[in-house]
Amino acid sequence: MPKKIIIIDGGPRKTFNTAAMLQKFAEGAKSVSVDIEVKTVRLYDLDYKGCMSCMACKVKGRASNICKFKDALTPVLEEIAQADGLVLGSPIYFGQITGLMQAFLERLAFPWLSYNDYSLTAPKRMPVVLVETMNGLPERNNSQGYGSMEYCITTALGEPQHLIAYNTYQVKNYDRYELAGFSEEAKRQWRDEHWEQDLQAAFDAGRRMAEAV
Ligand SMILES: Cc1cc2nc3c(=O)[nH]c(=O)nc-3n(C[C@H](O)[C@H](O)[C@H](O)COP(=O)(O)O)c2cc1C
């Protein structure tokens, strides 16, 4: 029986750090078996809102743990409900995941939450990987990662695995921009020592998820 892994790319850039990590994850997953289907959804390509507080998911007798609001996110949320594995990826903006990733997570997680007993129940539990990329270093960064959404994910889907790429190249050519706060030399050195390993870690995580589903 084919298994489906859904990758949600919450970054705007189609070829940079977050996209590259997610692409490697997909390659790793697909390397395991032709029976693994990997679908990447790019949030910045979709026209959607965060939770509209319509409360349709909490109507008595018709409560739903899948968001009822209809827009471009609807088929994605329905597909995740049936999936076998979920990967979320985001660059860190001002210490947080992107606004579009946060808006997506509101739509994913609010229907999981019961206001009767505060339990969190997804349609299906599944392995989850959370990817972050950022300028910060392991010992000095401002990332709050997936923040309070991580508790919802852990409770409803399962304990996520984290993949973090630190000190990424923000632009290809540092000479072209007002970025004097960064030493390109230090960035290059970090990239030479870490970037291939970060990509390999993403590939390996993809393989592990595909083997587990
Ligand atoms: C609007 C904006 C805000 C950012 N804020 C942070 C930040 O608070 N902390 C950090 O470590 N990096 C920050 N960065 C850097 C990005 O997280 C980093 O370059 C990331 O790898 C970009 O991902 P991408 O290459 O997939 O676009 C910011 C970048 C942008 C564009």
Side-chain angles (χ1 to χ4, degrees):
M1 180 76 167
K3 299 285 181 176
K4 189 182 248 185
I5 294 172
I6 300 190
I7 297 177
I8 305 291
D9 185 346
R13 301 201 288 184
K14 294 186 182 186
T15 59
F16 262 69
N17 300 294
T18 311
M21 290 284 284
L22 296 175
Q23 169 70 24
K24 277 289 165 190
F25 187 100
E27 285 170 24
K30 283 190 232 166
S31 74
V32 169
S33 158
V34 288
D35 276 345
I36 302 288
E37 187 192 337
V38 182
K39 177 166 181 178
T40 299
V41 176
R42 303 196 72 259
L43 294 179
Y44 280 75
D45 288 344
L46 301 180
D47 186 7
Y48 69 95
K49 309 277 191 218
C51 177
M52 298 298 286
S53 200
C54 67
M55 304 304 278
C57 62
K58 314 238 180 290
V59 172
K60 277 187 181 163
R62 282 186 285 124
S64 166
N65 54 12
I66 306 174
C67 177
K68 299 269 209 185
F69 185 77
K70 301 291 175 226
D71 65 7
L73 211 53
T74 306
V76 179
L77 296 169
E78 284 170 357
E79 221 171 340
I80 291 170
Q82 311 262 333
D84 300 292
L86 180 65
V87 185
L88 309 181
S90 178
I92 294 304
Y93 285 180
F94 296 97
Q96 325 257 349
I97 51 175
T98 60
L100 288 195
M101 176 57 84
Q102 180 68 30
F104 158 80
L105 284 169
E106 288 170 8
R107 295 276 299 281
L108 183 71
F110 190 61
W112 296 343
L113 174 65
S114 162
Y115 272 168
N116 292 331
D117 61 6
Y118 296 99
S119 59
L120 281 151
T121 313
K124 190 176 166 192
R125 292 179 72 80
M126 64 188 74
V128 184
V129 169
L130 302 179
V131 180
E132 296 169 51
T133 77
M134 67 186 80
N135 267 330
L137 292 157
E139 67 277 13
R140 189 161 42 86
N141 71 76
N142 66 344
S143 174
Q144 295 168 34
Y146 288 75
S148 61
M149 299 314 299
E150 192 163 333
Y151 171 77
C152 301
I153 290 166
T154 303
T155 310
L157 296 178
E159 185 81 47
Q161 192 212 326
H162 290 269
L163 278 178
I164 304 178
Y166 295 101
N167 204 5
T168 53
Y169 253 56
Q170 196 162 359
V171 294
K172 287 206 173 99
N173 178 0
Y174 275 72
D175 291 339
R176 190 158 174 248
Y177 302 91
E178 300 286 357
L179 288 169
F182 298 102
S183 150
E184 182 170 14
E185 181 48 34
K187 280 266 186 197
R188 188 180 307 121
Q189 203 177 331
W190 182 276
R191 185 179 64 179
D192 290 348
E193 286 169 16
H194 296 88
W195 182 233
E196 284 306 318
Q197 288 174 35
D198 291 338
L199 292 175
Q200 185 64 45
F203 184 93
D204 292 344
R207 216 179 36 205
R208 276 198 306 277
M209 184 183 279
E211 283 164 357
V213 295

